[in-house]
Amino acid sequence: QDLEGDMDVLKGALRTVQKTDDKAEMVRALSDMRTAASDAKTRTPDKLEGQPADSAQVKDYHAELDKLIGQIDDSLKLANAGDLAGAKEQAKQFAATRDEGHKKFR
Ligand code: HEM
């Protein structure tokens, strides 16, 4: 799984999160997003190729993905509690993190 593949999973699973009314399906989609975001942390975007692992930019890349993972966990908590509307509301915040990440690293 490369970074593009991780991003494609994020995109597809987010669409499921936004439209499903099935608790198990939503929990699965959010879990898939969590796995993809964690995997993305092990990849290097082209823009950061050659940057040392401890550089400010690489750290910021990881921090942006950790922010997304934290938001996914908040949504997962709600979904697991059966609050699908709340989980969807929380998932609206993913887009801002996505846009931030893309502006800086895509
Ligand atoms: C829910 C959140 C996100 C979604 C839905 C999303 C979706 C996508 C999609 C659809 C692509 C194009 C992939 C392709 O070419 O097939 C992409 C590329 C990319 N995204 Fe995201 N993204 C998200 C969050 C992030 C975050 C948080 C970061 C950075 C911290 C990030 C960094 C990148 C980079 C670097 C690329 C270019 C990858 C490449 O083609 O090599 N994305 N993203």
Side-chain angles (χ1 to χ4, degrees):
Q1 182 77 306
D2 58 12
L3 184 55
E4 255 185 69
D6 291 330
M7 291 295 153
D8 289 340
V9 171
L10 285 177
K11 184 183 174 190
L14 179 55
R15 191 172 301 148
T16 299
V17 169
Q18 283 163 339
K19 69 171 197 224
T20 188
D21 288 311
D22 181 79
K23 178 181 165 181
E25 189 175 40
M26 183 176 289
V27 167
R28 199 177 321 115
L30 286 165
S31 302
D32 288 347
M33 289 189 76
R34 197 185 198 289
T35 302
S38 302
D39 191 79
K41 284 184 70 183
T42 73
R43 315 283 164 202
T44 307
D46 289 349
K47 272 197 179 174
L48 301 189
E49 208 60 70
Q51 295 274 344
D54 63 350
S55 66
Q57 275 188 303
V58 171
K59 283 184 187 161
D60 191 27
Y61 171 69
H62 290 161
E64 208 65 68
L65 285 164
D66 281 335
K67 186 199 276 189
L68 179 61
I69 290 167
Q71 291 171 332
I72 292 168
D73 283 344
D74 289 343
S75 183
L76 254 179
K77 240 172 258 168
L78 294 165
N80 274 317
D83 181 2
L84 301 194
K88 278 184 203 185
E89 198 54 39
Q90 168 63 30
K92 287 183 185 162
Q93 297 185 26
F94 302 171
T97 309
R98 175 196 63 203
D99 294 348
E100 263 172 33
H102 287 179
K103 206 170 162 197
K104 288 192 271 192
F105 305 113
R106 192 177 179 179

